Amino acid sequence: MKTPIAALLLAAAPLAANPVPPSPHGPADRIGAMNHLSPEATRAAARLVKLGRVYALGVVTGPATPVWPGRSYKIVVTPSDDGSGQPLGANRVTGHDDVLLTHVGIGTQLDGFAHIGIAHHHYNNVPAKDLFAPDGVTVYGTESVPPAATRGILLDMVKANGGRPLAPGTAFNRREIEAALRSAGLTLRKGDVVLFHTGWMAAMAAKDGRAFIASQPGLGREGAEWLAAQGVAMIGADTAALEVIPFEKANEPFIVHQILLTRYGVHILENIDTNALAADGATEFLFVLGVPRLKGTVQAIVNPVAIR
């Protein structure tokens, strides 16, 4: 995708003209739909663990990871010596340190509320001028995202498509989501984490990373509105943007991000590795996520875990 995100956002006039609604959780709310997490939901999700099988939902992140234009990854490892020097102490200690120079919107990631706004306003109508600082946002830094241990559900859109990965530009909305829920025998609950398996990550695994980013199947505007209204805590997919690209309307770029992050306070999870879960026919599981507490970031590299 070659168009800069800033230019795309300026083109989003229809939604940008609307005000950002107040949070139903009050003027001081900063965690959005994660207010729906609860001890009761955690205990219920823990009862889903029958097999003791653990799935890493994060991809390996490195120099070859597909990235949005302008983002990058670099690591520098520094040895305590070059391998030929004098070890430290009687116990002969040697070792290494590392320095990571990277965007945090890379690999498997969580989008925070400071990432995307509407006309310079963010979730719960916080103006960008009140949160932006070049050395880290002062509101909605991802270090403030609460840990989650709740029910996760996988909606297998490949299965619904006759076993074929969804084509780029294929949007799924309320009708397709409800059909996938019926097929899985599930109903949504407040505090759920909903993950979509589109087959896009697996289909593109050996191909050009730029193509993986430039177009993809994904969630549409109506589907995002409907899911958010159900009180789900987070929504993710095995794609780089969660939402469909090309966009449903060319003049409404990243509208799903605006709906979820800015209007409803629903965190987005991108590049979720759903392949093993889908291969095992998993539909519901205990979903666990602790976000790295790096102060002031608008996104976070994460490795959520599913346990069955």
Side-chain angles (χ1 to χ4, degrees):
M1 174 172 199
K2 298 180 179 179
T3 307
I5 289 179
L8 286 169
L9 291 177
L10 288 173
L15 188 57
N18 297 331
V20 177
S23 167
H25 307 288
D29 176 38
R30 295 293 181 263
I31 64 171
M34 295 191 84
N35 280 287
H36 297 307
L37 301 177
S38 67
E40 294 75 22
T42 298
R43 288 195 295 269
R47 290 193 288 271
L48 296 172
V49 178
K50 308 294 185 184
L51 304 176
R53 190 169 299 164
V54 180
Y55 301 76
L57 303 180
V59 300
V60 175
T61 302
T65 300
V67 297
W68 292 97
R71 298 180 186 174
S72 64
Y73 173 101
K74 182 179 180 181
I75 190 168
V76 177
V77 177
T78 59
S80 58
D81 56 67
D82 63 2
S84 62
Q86 182 66 34
L88 178 65
N91 51 330
R92 301 175 61 80
V93 175
T94 60
H96 303 87
D97 281 328
D98 46 24
V99 178
L100 187 60
L101 308 171
T102 186
H103 285 79
V104 290
I106 182 174
T108 301
Q109 64 198 262
L110 173 141
D111 284 349
F113 301 153
H115 179 45
I116 294 289
I118 301 173
H120 307 295
H121 285 74
H122 293 260
Y123 176 68
N124 211 1
N125 213 25
V126 175
K129 65 180 179 61
D130 290 351
L131 63 80
F132 174 79
D135 58 349
V137 294
T138 58
V139 182
Y140 297 138
T142 57
E143 77 277 5
S144 299
V145 176
T150 192
R151 184 176 78 145
I153 65 173
L154 182 72
L155 297 183
D156 192 340
M157 310 311 285
V158 174
K159 181 179 178 182
N161 195 42
R164 301 180 301 276
L166 273 62
T170 302
F172 39 88
N173 282 297
R174 179 175 178 174
R175 182 181 67 178
E176 292 81 10
I177 295 168
E178 289 188 317
L181 284 166
R182 287 194 299 271
S183 177
L186 299 173
T187 56
L188 291 177
R189 304 171 190 160
K190 287 187 175 182
D192 282 348
V193 173
V194 178
L195 304 178
F196 291 100
H197 177 67
T198 71
W200 187 240
M201 180 179 288
M204 298 298 291
K207 297 184 180 180
D208 188 345
R210 290 172 295 181
F212 176 76
I213 295 285
S215 61
Q216 51 205 274
L219 185 59
R221 175 175 184 163
E222 182 212 28
E225 292 268 10
W226 184 75
L227 280 173
Q230 309 311 302
V232 301
M234 290 178 273
I235 305 173
D238 58 340
T239 63
L242 172 64
E243 65 183 282
V244 63
I245 298 177
F247 305 108
E248 290 170 297
K249 294 183 179 180
N251 69 336
E252 293 183 342
F254 297 106
I255 196 167
V256 167
H257 277 64
Q258 290 180 310
I259 289 167
L260 296 179
L261 295 173
T262 313
R263 290 180 167 272
Y264 285 92
V266 178
H267 287 291
I268 290 173
L269 299 168
E270 297 166 335
N271 292 312
I272 297 294
D273 187 350
T274 56
N275 293 315
L277 280 175
D280 285 352
T283 56
E284 59 179 345
F285 42 86
L286 172 61
F287 174 94
V288 181
L289 175 63
V291 177
R293 307 196 75 179
L294 300 176
K295 188 171 178 60
T297 64
V298 304
Q299 295 164 290
I301 300 173
V302 295
N303 181 26
V305 172
I307 309 173
R308 298 175 62 219

